[in-house]
Amino acid sequence: MPGVGIWRTKSVEQSIADTDEPGSRLRRELTAKDLTVFGVAVVVGAGIFTLTARTAGNLAGPSISLAFVLAAIACGLAALCYAEFASAVPVAGSAYTFSYATFGEFVAWIIGWDLILEFALASAVVAKGWSMYLGGMFGGDASIDLGPITVDWGSLLIVGAITIILAIGTKVSSRVSAVVTAIKVAVVLLVIVVGIFSIDKSNYSPYVPQAEEAESAASGLHQSLFSALTGAGGSTYGWYGLLAAASLVFFAFIGFDVVATTAEETKNPQKALPRGIFGSLAIVTVLYVGVTLVLTGMVKYTDLRTGSELVGDGSATLATAFEAHGITWAQMAINIGGLAGLTTVVMVMMLGQTRVLFAMSRDGLVTRKLAVTNHKGVPVRITLMVGGVVAVLAAVFPMGVLEEMVNIGTLFAFVLVCVGVMVLRRTRPDLPRGFRVPLVPLVPILAVLACGWLMLNLSVETWIRFTVWMVLGVAIYFVYGRRKSVLGQRLKLEAAQQEAAKHEAREPEPV
């Protein structure tokens, strides 16, 4: 029986039945191959060209490759839980839909509101990064001053183009994503192959450098929540540096959960979704480890740290190692790879945003006028609205200070999904599952602990901003969503019908 009030749950059967509602039906046309492409497309972004070198130089040294393996393990634990949920509840909305079936409407709203934050900000931040790469390729700045406002026209260009592609159809988006993903993976493989010939094995020693005290430790609101709670200081290199690096590079894997948002548009989702999730995760892990091994083998890790003679006051990038060996043409190749990488990240993040909002709209928690699809099964209204919001955010607002909010939103969703798997195992053991997480509850608990640790390493100010956003979401739910909920209205109608039936049964028959 569904709960009452804000804890009312939407059964899996009802969620699946709603996918056939006339006028708000998505078309099933994606395969496991399409989902794998989406996963690789969103995970392999600019991080592989910038994050790897900076983290190796400032935190982990050559052990950056092990940091990626540790991060991949943590991500893989969460991926197991996503795969089971997505195969059991093949409905648009990802963690939002999963939470509705396990924790109830209020928690589902919270996670949906959280995912709106994650996908919208991620799309805008990455669009600005795309614009920076565009300006770098042409030696200029992809922005223009309009009075007191500086408009980033590069961001408008990429968001506008992607909005049009998404409005045309998901299958078209998949084909475009496949082409662009092939380009950036080719660039990554080229970097690995060329770099192998410049590796000096002595650069790998020591693999885990001796710990050093950080020259400047963050304090106040800028320190991590873990440091604020325990008083622990930061350090560079050593095992603590390795673990800190794993916390940082974990975010290079963020995005695979977007694959789960396309469940409702997937052929044979029970098999295709797990294959797409694990396939994309395996591919990007191999690419990340390969790049880091080449990078730290080409130059000494101390040459990649900020302040070194090679890097100066800036941050090391993958191109830094190639420039040190006189392979200057690699800079252009890396720019092309970064541009291609960011293109697909924006595309898949915006796709995820539209599908989560579509699911919330169909449930009445936001206006149902948005849950309308065209003859191709595309929610055009939502797509255009999301494109407009992301374009404004990316073109006008500085997004650097909000990047960590993307991370905390993602990890929060991971935790709820992992807990949800354990809950659904107890409440619905009969539910058909195309994939089952092994060693339950051990694996989900380990996933929760891993994600919780990573959340503790985020700054205090990030937690404050996240809390403010969530408080705003709670207010909107009680003002609008709770009253307009389709599930709530359905339960009220059923209760009224049952009461009427009882009243009719109590009335004596006329003589």
Side-chain angles (χ1 to χ4, degrees):
M1 290 293 292
V4 296
I6 63 174
W7 307 113
R8 53 200 176 209
T9 57
K10 184 178 181 181
S11 68
V12 174
E13 290 79 6
Q14 185 61 56
S15 293
I16 295 174
D18 286 348
T19 63
D20 287 328
E21 185 178 326
S24 59
R25 185 182 303 163
L26 300 174
R27 181 178 295 180
R28 293 189 183 276
E29 54 186 0
L30 299 179
T31 64
K33 179 181 177 181
D34 293 323
L35 299 184
T36 302
V37 169
F38 275 143
V40 175
V42 73
V43 176
V44 179
I48 199 170
F49 303 106
T50 57
L51 181 66
T52 50
R54 183 171 70 248
T55 307
N58 297 334
L59 286 177
S63 65
I64 180 66
S65 56
L66 178 57
F68 268 104
V69 173
L70 294 176
I73 292 172
C75 198
L77 292 173
L80 288 170
C81 298
Y82 263 91
E84 175 168 327
F85 245 136
S87 66
V89 193
V91 179
S94 184
Y96 160 77
T97 301
F98 306 157
S99 298
Y100 215 155
T102 51
F103 301 111
E105 184 175 277
F106 179 66
V107 176
W109 165 265
I110 289 295
I111 199 64
W113 186 248
D114 166 65
L115 291 175
I116 289 174
L117 172 75
E118 174 193 345
F119 292 143
L121 287 184
S123 301
V125 170
V126 176
K128 291 188 76 69
W130 188 93
S131 180
M132 291 173 61
Y133 267 92
L134 181 67
M137 286 189 66
F138 296 101
D141 186 11
S143 62
I144 185 173
D145 292 326
L146 296 178
I149 301 176
T150 299
V151 177
D152 190 334
W153 60 264
S155 297
L156 287 176
L157 179 65
I158 186 61
V159 173
I162 287 175
T163 300
I164 293 173
I165 293 173
L166 291 176
I168 292 175
T170 308
K171 193 64 177 180
V172 173
S173 306
S174 173
R175 290 168 181 165
V176 173
S177 184
V179 173
V180 181
T181 299
I183 294 173
K184 68 178 178 182
V185 170
V187 171
V188 172
L189 293 176
L190 176 65
V191 165
I192 293 174
V193 171
V194 173
I196 286 176
F197 295 99
S198 300
I199 288 178
D200 182 351
K201 294 182 180 179
S202 65
N203 289 330
Y204 293 130
S205 182
Y207 184 68
V208 181
Q210 186 176 357
E212 299 177 4
E213 286 300 319
E215 295 182 3
S216 60
S219 60
L221 297 180
H222 299 289
Q223 66 182 323
S224 71
L225 183 62
F226 179 75
S227 296
L229 294 175
T230 64
S235 64
T236 301
Y237 308 134
W239 290 103
Y240 184 85
L242 170 61
L243 293 175
S247 296
L248 183 60
V249 302
F250 174 86
F251 304 124
F253 290 94
I254 283 178
F256 81 88
D257 55 317
V258 177
V259 173
T261 68
T262 63
E264 197 173 320
E265 297 162 270
T266 303
K267 300 175 182 177
N268 193 8
Q270 284 73 20
K271 292 184 178 180
L273 281 162
R275 290 174 182 174
I277 291 173
F278 293 127
S280 58
L281 188 59
I283 291 172
V284 299
T285 300
V286 171
L287 292 176
Y288 280 153
V289 172
V291 166
T292 53
L293 288 173
V294 168
L295 174 70
T296 53
M298 290 179 68
V299 295
K300 194 70 176 177
Y301 68 90
T302 51
D303 291 333
L304 295 173
R305 66 189 302 177
T306 301
S308 68
E309 183 178 346
L310 187 61
V311 177
D313 295 331
S315 296
T317 66
L318 192 57
T320 304
F322 288 88
E323 291 172 358
H325 286 270
I327 312 176
T328 54
W329 59 266
Q331 178 69 46
M332 179 58 71
I334 291 171
N335 276 336
I336 294 174
L339 208 58
L342 291 173
T343 299
T344 54
V345 173
V346 176
M347 177 180 294
V348 182
M349 283 294 183
M350 286 181 61
L351 174 66
Q353 171 74 97
T354 60
R355 282 359 181 215
V356 170
L357 201 54
F358 172 81
M360 296 174 72
S361 174
R362 186 166 58 189
D363 290 333
L365 300 186
V366 296
T367 175
R368 281 177 56 82
K369 292 180 180 179
L370 295 176
V372 177
T373 56
N374 63 9
H375 65 285
K376 294 183 179 180
V378 179
V380 177
R381 292 180 183 177
I382 287 180
T383 301
L384 296 178
M385 186 185 76
V386 168
V389 172
V390 172
V392 172
L393 290 173
V396 178
F397 293 98
M399 301 300 294
V401 296
L402 298 178
E403 287 177 339
E404 277 196 357
M405 291 187 69
V406 177
N407 304 332
I408 194 171
T410 303
L411 288 166
F412 182 59
F414 283 8
V415 168
L416 281 182
V417 168
C418 295
V419 174
V421 164
M422 295 184 286
V423 173
L424 203 62
R425 281 286 186 96
R426 296 181 70 88
T427 59
R428 292 298 307 274
D430 59 310
L431 192 66
R433 292 167 171 83
F435 174 84
R436 297 179 69 90
V437 178
L439 301 176
V440 173
L442 178 61
V443 169
I445 290 174
L446 290 176
V448 170
L449 292 175
C451 294
W453 165 252
L454 295 172
M455 292 178 75
L456 285 174
N457 280 275
L458 296 174
S459 67
V460 175
E461 60 183 341
T462 298
W463 278 90
I464 293 175
R465 292 192 186 107
F466 182 67
T467 302
V468 171
W469 175 257
M470 285 301 163
V471 169
L472 176 61
V474 170
I476 293 175
Y477 171 74
F478 281 103
V479 170
Y480 182 87
R482 187 184 183 189
R483 295 186 299 106
K484 299 292 186 178
S485 166
V486 171
L487 177 61
Q489 294 175 354
R490 182 182 297 139
L491 292 177
K492 286 181 180 179
L493 179 61
E494 291 176 357
Q497 290 174 340
Q498 291 174 1
E499 186 63 29
K502 290 179 182 179
H503 180 73
E504 184 176 336
R506 288 197 298 265
E507 288 183 354
E509 294 184 6
V511 178

